[in-house]
Amino acid sequence: MILGDTGKQAHGPLKTFNITTATPRETAITSNLLPSAEGTANQVSYTVQNSDLPVITPNPGSMKYTVGVYVSGKAGAAATTINYRIFKNGVSIAQSNHTATAGQYWTSSHFRWADVAPGDLLEVRVWANVADATIDYSAIQIFPYLTYLAKPGSILKDVVISGTNTVINLTGAGVRSVTPPSTQGISINLSNITSARTTISTSGTNYLFYAMPVHPTLGMFRVEYGDNGGLSTQSNSSATDIRQFRNFLPTFISFREVLR
């Protein structure tokens, strides 16, 4: 008897997952003159709620969450240094700054929190180097990452992924319009090698992968901001609107699992 590959392939039933993001919470800030030195007040404060979390149906076996908190205002008459400090559950976890163009609206897209859960308190403290800079808007949006739709190490076949880059199109909370300057795609792991992956980012397109492993430590896909690209703040200035950086997200995934 010769043991080996019989040439036959066994696979499981078709599995389909739908991903729905929550409507972002937006806040118009009215007492909006920024202090010219760091104080003790945090102008932006969000406690993560269950209603903020994206929903995957049917429920996957494992998933974590990363966060974008968007903060916007207007620079002073001169070029302005916008300073910020980031807190999680009352503990300072990051502090830095960026320069805003004189007289224009500034936006900080903070992707500084990973592995958050309902009840976590996320806060941003802001101050400027001039006396006439303002803050008038904030919002929160939560993204899935380290998502396992099958067991780590599984091999999947005929994987279809489609997504959208419009799921976090903010309204501006009555302040002004929102224009995304950058939408980053999701990274799809094509092998157990971390560097072997591809990025997809075209809204409404069905991407087909004939075979895909479930990476043992990274899951099926990685969002860029707050995950694959690290924890960071993206900043921008505009004469007219809020320039919010955002992640492309999958909305539909289907596959069959190769059986062994």
Side-chain angles (χ1 to χ4, degrees):
M1 178 182 292
I2 300 176
L3 299 177
D5 188 357
T6 65
K8 297 179 180 180
Q9 182 184 44
H11 52 77
L14 180 67
K15 294 184 179 181
T16 299
F17 295 84
N18 293 283
I19 303 174
T20 304
T21 54
T23 300
R25 278 194 284 156
E26 301 177 280
T27 305
I29 302 171
T30 54
S31 300
N32 60 356
L33 193 64
L34 286 175
S36 55
E38 182 177 9
T40 58
N42 299 324
Q43 296 94 335
V44 176
S45 178
Y46 289 104
T47 298
V48 177
Q49 303 173 0
N50 281 306
S51 57
D52 295 322
L53 304 181
V55 176
I56 299 182
T57 52
N59 187 41
S62 177
M63 177 172 58
K64 291 187 177 181
Y65 306 100
T66 189
V67 183
V69 171
Y70 310 100
V71 185
S72 188
K74 195 170 186 179
T80 303
T81 299
I82 303 297
N83 302 281
Y84 57 85
R85 186 179 296 277
I86 307 295
F87 296 86
K88 181 179 182 181
N89 295 326
V91 178
S92 175
I93 58 173
Q95 189 273 318
S96 191
N97 62 68
H98 59 84
T99 300
T101 303
Q104 291 195 359
Y105 295 105
W106 59 268
T107 302
S108 302
S109 297
H110 295 294
F111 301 94
R112 296 284 187 169
W113 303 271
D115 196 11
V116 300
D120 281 339
L121 176 63
L122 314 179
E123 296 176 289
V124 182
R125 180 182 302 168
V126 188
W127 67 101
N129 67 328
V130 297
D132 58 343
T134 62
I135 179 174
D136 59 16
Y137 170 84
S138 69
I140 182 173
Q141 176 72 46
I142 296 181
F143 312 96
Y145 80 113
L146 289 182
T147 304
Y148 291 89
L149 304 183
K151 292 181 180 179
S154 300
I155 303 298
L156 311 179
K157 70 181 296 286
D158 299 334
V159 182
V160 175
I161 301 177
S162 62
T164 178
N165 53 20
T166 60
V167 291
I168 52 171
N169 191 15
L170 308 181
T171 65
V175 180
R176 56 188 176 278
S177 62
V178 179
T179 301
S182 177
T183 300
Q184 292 296 321
I186 57 171
S187 294
I188 305 297
N189 302 303
L190 299 179
S191 79
N192 287 344
I193 303 172
T194 305
S195 60
R197 57 177 181 257
T198 189
T199 299
I200 64 175
S201 60
T202 303
S203 181
T205 298
N206 287 338
Y207 292 86
L208 171 62
F209 300 90
Y210 292 109
M212 179 191 300
V214 179
H215 196 283
T217 59
L218 302 178
M220 285 191 64
F221 64 86
R222 304 189 70 182
V223 297
E224 182 62 21
Y225 295 128
D227 179 18
N228 186 55
L231 302 180
S232 64
T233 293
Q234 307 295 325
S235 61
N236 214 313
S237 295
S238 167
T240 58
D241 54 18
I242 298 168
R243 294 297 175 98
Q244 158 238 2
F245 288 72
R246 59 186 182 179
N247 284 314
F248 173 91
L249 286 175
T251 56
F252 172 87
I253 299 176
S254 67
F255 57 84
R256 297 180 187 273
E257 188 172 350
V258 176
L259 304 178
R260 301 180 185 181

